[in-house]
Amino acid sequence: MKIYMIRHGATKGNREHRYVGVTDEPLLPEEKKELQSRRMPPVARVYSSPRKRCVETAQICYPKKQLEIVEEFAECDFGIFEYRNYEELNGNPDYQRFIDSMGKSGFPGGEDREVFQKRCLQGLEKIMKRERRHQEDIAFVVHGGTIMALLDGYSRPHGDYYNWQVENGAGYEAEVLWEESDSNFYLENIKKLF
């Protein structure tokens, strides 16, 4: 079976290079048109983050599929960095600590990467317990951070968190391989979509 991990289309905050986490903004109108022109791979089921930008993208990409909302796939809570960009944060000592730690120090007032990644992986594991019996291709319409967290956790060969960055409206295809003895799985043969 395959999983298609698709990052939501662009929002105003994305175009302004802002940290868009808990802010629930819609897609840009021109982005909706771009997504409508894409030919998405066929899937049996579609899972989405609860954020409006993901739900809208999923409804455009898979208009005939019922969405299943996965709360664990919501984007990271960026705390005091929420909806701010580099220019606005430049000179902020908390931001500098964050940059110097390669993002591992976490977001003041928000989530740290370890907590965020654990949440995302719990969502994936919950879905995969159900999907194992079906063995049909599925799609996740989620955030860039969510994709990075999932692939950092389950890619083989392993690719680190930041290796999996992806543009809005793009994503990855991954093959799910199950280990023989139990319900453990991993993702391999990972390729970029679009």
Side-chain angles (χ1 to χ4, degrees), residues 40-129:
M40 292 295 173
V43 296
R45 279 165 297 290
V46 179
Y47 297 91
S48 174
S49 157
R51 300 286 181 253
K52 186 182 297 185
R53 55 199 181 268
C54 292
V55 171
E56 287 181 348
T57 299
Q59 289 170 336
I60 292 166
C61 294
Y62 293 101
K64 296 181 179 175
K65 295 288 181 188
Q66 182 174 346
L67 303 181
E68 182 170 335
I69 300 299
V70 181
E71 296 292 332
E72 294 91 341
F73 284 172
E75 181 61 286
C76 185
D77 180 348
F78 295 125
I80 66 170
F81 302 162
E82 180 69 27
Y83 217 74
R84 297 174 76 190
N85 60 26
Y86 171 80
E87 291 82 20
E88 295 166 349
L89 292 166
N90 191 19
N92 179 317
D94 289 328
Y95 188 61
Q96 191 58 53
R97 267 191 297 284
F98 172 78
I99 297 297
D100 292 344
S101 75
M102 297 290 293
K104 292 184 179 177
S105 66
F107 297 97
E111 288 179 288
D112 68 32
R113 192 172 95 196
E114 187 177 309
V115 169
F116 166 68
Q117 185 165 5
K118 183 177 180 182
R119 171 170 56 81
C120 292
L121 293 177
Q122 286 171 343
L124 175 62
E125 291 157 6
K126 177 176 73 174
I127 291 166
M128 296 311 292
K129 282 181 184 176

Side-chain angles (χ1 to χ4, degrees), residues 135-149:
Q135 293 294 308
E136 298 171 306
D137 296 347
I138 57 176
F140 297 162
V141 182
V142 293
H143 309 274
T146 305
I147 292 170
M148 291 166 26

